[in-house]
Amino acid sequence: MAYVDQEYYDNEYLGLPVGDPREFKRMAKRASDLVDIATNFQARDVTPGGFQEEQVKKAVSAQIEHYMISGGYEASRQEATMESVTVGSFRYDLAGRGRGGDTRRDSLATEAVKYLAGAGLLYSGGVIVNG
């Protein structure tokens, strides 16, 4: 289930234009899936018409726009092809890349995370009660 349609993305969020409606639906679905995963599926239970729903829509729209800035959904999933450069005894490794590889490939855009965090949807801990 996609949390936004092209009408919302184009006219409310004012995102970068996505010319192909089929590609928009694909990106909206992928972005919505990432929001579900990031929120441990809490996004599905937000109150319609409320603040949290609006933040979920903005987060999905921000992720779609991130796909567009990156050259489309497929391009955004591409990993860097060069991890290090060696010239003689000098070696340079890309920052942020450990032995586990690049975890950013399947993660939400920074703006999307901020929308979800602001709505309290990224918290998954318990509550400590004195008593």
Side-chain angles (χ1 to χ4, degrees):
M1 167 183 88
Y3 290 114
V4 299
D5 57 16
Q6 196 156 8
E7 173 74 19
Y8 176 88
Y9 177 80
D10 289 341
N11 299 317
E12 296 295 321
Y13 186 76
L14 303 175
L16 289 174
V18 180
D20 181 5
R22 184 176 159 104
E23 182 63 13
F24 176 84
K25 286 182 183 180
R26 181 172 182 246
M27 288 191 292
K29 174 69 173 122
R30 300 296 183 269
S32 296
D33 288 347
L34 281 178
V35 165
D36 279 339
I37 291 166
T39 64
N40 290 317
F41 297 90
Q42 292 179 75
R44 292 181 179 223
D45 297 328
V46 300
T47 304
F51 173 74
Q52 286 184 323
E53 181 189 35
E54 183 64 22
Q55 297 309 101
V56 167
K57 287 180 174 185
K58 287 179 180 180
V60 171
S61 296
Q63 187 65 32
I64 293 168
E65 190 164 58
H66 172 75
Y67 292 149
M68 292 302 296
I69 290 168
S70 299
Y73 174 72
E74 292 301 326
S76 72
R77 295 184 47 85
Q78 301 282 324
E79 290 188 43
T81 57
M82 182 180 65
E83 294 185 19
S84 65
V85 174
T86 304
V87 178
S89 62
F90 174 78
R91 179 179 174 98
Y92 175 78
D93 292 309
L94 289 176
R97 295 181 74 89
R99 293 191 185 272
D102 186 2
T103 58
R104 294 172 294 159
R105 183 174 75 162
D106 292 323
S107 63
L108 284 172
T110 302
E111 294 81 6
V113 171
K114 289 178 181 179
Y115 285 125
L116 296 173
L121 292 169
L122 296 182
Y123 179 74
S124 62
V127 175
I128 298 174
V129 178
N130 292 329

